[in-house]
Amino acid sequence: DAKTTQPPSMDCAEGRAANLPCNHSTISGNEYVYWYRQIHSQGPQYIIHGLKNNETNEMASLIITEDRKSSTLILPHATLRDTAVYYCIVRVDSGGSNYKLTFGKGTLLTVNP
Amino acid sequence: DTEVTQTPKHLVMGMTNKKSLKCEQHMGHRAMYWYKQKAKKPPELMFVYSYEKLSINESVPSRFSPECPNSSLLNLHLHALQPEDSALYLCASSPVPWAGTGGYTEAFFGQGTRLTVV
């Protein structure tokens, strides 16, 4: 019951910007968009989150469209160590005032030398 | 300390064995989670503990039994598992549960326990 859609895979040249898209057309007005990544055989790692405005931190930038139906994660200068599966996540209502993080299929980003 | 520590890192168990996975965090987080991840698949939520109480059970078979003895510790007790239960088991914690206000809370994940059932 993931509420996001991402391309299954993308390639990027080392040193170039990686732009990872995500569709979340059913997102409600007060829901955040979260991005995590998972490097092979490691636990998922938080990258960034956003609500309406664009966000930037030391790892990445997040661009959210005005209608909030989609977003793009930008890694400005991709390195080989950025090769990972990137997950765009929106919180899911589990009922009884409980919510949960449900992972979609994610995008495998491969950074090539 | 921003770590979630899981032990053991690897576990091989027979179908008649009883074993436990352990997860620990010392960040004062009040929500803890168990996820199961099969190869080349995304993590799947199993259980959520909010303030030491089980708040979400994603219809997990009873051969998996979670326990939260205190706010820092989360266990997953395993009994009579099947080979198809072999997977990476991930623990996570967050400062507060994913509450109904839509507020932000970040989840920190451990490195997982690689479980093989033989």
Side-chain angles (χ1 to χ4, degrees):
Chain A
D1 55 350
K3 294 162 62 173
T4 61
T5 304
Q6 300 176 253
S9 63
M10 295 182 66
D11 285 337
C12 177
E14 189 178 20
R16 304 297 292 269
N19 296 286
L20 296 114
C22 178
N23 286 323
H24 31 79
S25 57
T26 61
I27 193 170
S28 61
N30 63 349
E31 293 285 357
Y32 285 80
V33 178
Y34 303 85
W35 284 82
Y36 281 75
R37 75 178 182 182
Q38 188 174 24
I39 295 170
H40 181 62
S41 294
Q42 297 184 21
Q45 176 191 22
Y46 165 80
I47 301 172
I48 200 168
H49 73 283
L51 183 61
K52 294 180 182 178
N53 301 317
N54 299 337
E55 302 288 344
T56 295
N57 63 19
E58 63 278 4
M59 289 182 68
S61 295
L62 177 61
I63 308 298
I64 302 174
T65 58
E66 193 168 342
D67 63 7
R68 297 200 348 107
K69 292 184 185 300
S70 65
S71 61
T72 300
L73 179 75
I74 301 172
L75 307 178
H77 306 287
T79 70
L80 299 179
R81 286 179 292 182
D82 292 322
T83 292
V85 179
Y86 287 77
Y87 296 101
C88 164
I89 301 169
V90 176
R91 196 183 59 163
V92 173
D93 187 345
S94 184
S97 299
N98 292 311
Y99 289 76
K100 58 188 179 183
L101 269 193
T102 299
F103 287 79
K105 296 180 180 178
T107 296
L108 172 60
L109 174 69
T110 303
V111 181
N112 300 305
Chain B
D1 182 4
T2 58
E3 278 195 2
V4 174
T5 304
Q6 292 188 242
T7 54
K9 289 186 169 39
H10 299 274
L11 178 63
V12 179
M13 61 184 290
M15 289 187 284
T16 58
N17 291 160
K18 287 185 180 181
K19 297 287 185 183
S20 297
L21 310 184
K22 180 180 172 182
C23 173
E24 207 161 0
Q25 56 86 14
H26 297 288
M27 295 177 278
H29 290 178
R30 303 307 303 274
M32 297 186 78
Y33 314 83
W34 280 115
Y35 283 82
K36 173 183 176 179
Q37 186 174 27
K38 302 282 278 184
K40 298 188 185 302
K41 299 290 186 183
E44 295 177 9
L45 183 66
M46 300 174 72
F47 303 104
V48 178
Y49 272 83
S50 300
Y51 302 98
E52 295 90 69
K53 292 193 187 316
L54 183 65
S55 60
I56 295 178
N57 176 343
E58 293 284 89
S59 302
V60 178
S62 60
R63 58 185 183 268
F64 296 90
S65 176
E67 179 195 21
C68 189
N70 58 58
S71 61
S72 299
L73 188 57
L74 185 66
N75 298 319
L76 186 63
H77 303 298
L78 313 173
H79 172 56
L81 294 194
Q82 303 297 312
E84 57 265 30
D85 296 320
S86 298
L88 180 68
Y89 288 84
L90 293 160
C91 173
S93 71
S94 61
V96 294
W98 298 91
T101 62
Y104 154 73
T105 188
E106 176 185 342
F108 294 78
F109 283 81
Q111 294 303 299
T113 294
R114 178 77 58 188
L115 175 68
T116 303
V117 182
V118 297

